[in-house]
Amino acid sequence: MKQDIFQRRSAIVLLLVILIGLVWMGCSSTVKERRGEPVTSEWKGLGKYYHFNDVLIPGELKYQQKKSFIYETPRFKTGVMIFSKWWLDVGSLINFFTYHMEKDNWKLVNSFRGKESILNFSKPDRTCTIRITEEWYGTTEVEIRVGPLGEKKM
């Protein structure tokens, strides 16, 4: 009888420790993700502008600062920004970028849709490529490349 009570208490204590550990890990990852956001960002409606003031990013995407880079000179700014999110509908993400990029005066040049989707946009002086990939473990990764449009050679 005493052994049965001891086993039940041990099981309850073990479950509580696991539950507290999971809650603690979830909270710590949220704090780390908030620290990874760049300082130069501006909120606007459903999304956020990061390093480029004409590329709106959906608010639910998490910026991956360690995987991203920006290069800036007095003449132009270029870079790669990486974002990710667990369980995200790729179709609605494509619709978001198509709609908001055109609102920010980007022209859709072409798009490829499949396991990996690619959207190519252009402006008179720049190009933007958005690559959306669904990983097998449930994460959706969005890679946004913005760069200058090549000059014509004579």
Side-chain angles (χ1 to χ4, degrees):
M1 182 77 175
K2 288 183 181 181
Q3 190 176 18
D4 188 38
I5 293 173
F6 179 72
Q7 287 178 347
R8 286 184 186 174
R9 284 186 180 174
S10 297
I12 291 172
V13 168
L14 180 63
L15 288 173
L16 284 173
V17 167
I18 291 172
L19 181 63
I20 290 171
L22 289 173
V23 169
W24 181 50
M25 287 185 340
C27 291
S28 68
S29 68
T30 303
V31 170
K32 288 178 186 175
E33 290 168 356
R34 286 183 187 153
R35 284 188 207 146
E37 292 181 1
V39 177
T40 59
S41 61
E42 173 186 325
W43 283 99
K44 183 178 180 182
L46 301 172
K48 191 174 186 178
Y49 289 104
Y50 282 78
H51 298 283
F52 301 95
N53 61 1
D54 56 355
V55 179
L56 187 66
I57 309 300
E60 59 260 356
L61 290 176
K62 304 294 182 219
Y63 181 61
Q64 304 295 321
Q65 189 170 10
K66 291 183 179 181
K67 293 182 178 181
S68 305
F69 71 91
I70 303 296
Y71 176 74
E72 188 172 2
T73 70
R75 293 184 63 201
F76 69 93
K77 183 191 294 190
T78 186
V80 178
M81 299 183 297
I82 307 290
F83 299 87
S84 63
K85 172 76 170 135
W86 185 263
W87 298 117
L88 187 65
D89 178 38
V90 173
S92 64
L93 195 58
I94 290 171
N95 292 339
F96 177 92
F97 281 117
T98 303
Y99 176 76
H100 287 285
M101 292 293 280
E102 289 179 358
K103 271 185 80 174
D104 284 328
N105 299 318
W106 289 92
K107 181 182 178 206
L108 180 64
V109 176
N110 56 37
S111 66
F112 303 91
R113 296 178 189 211
K115 184 178 178 184
E116 178 179 274
S117 299
I118 298 174
L119 305 170
N120 290 305
F121 296 93
S122 70
K123 280 189 168 185
D125 60 340
R126 295 187 299 154
T127 64
C128 179
T129 299
I130 301 174
R131 185 174 64 95
I132 303 167
T133 309
E134 286 184 283
E135 302 294 339
W136 64 271
Y137 48 85
T139 300
T140 301
E141 186 172 277
V142 178
E143 176 184 281
I144 300 173
R145 295 177 177 262
V146 179
L149 191 61
E151 296 178 13
K152 293 182 181 179
K153 296 181 181 180
M154 292 194 177

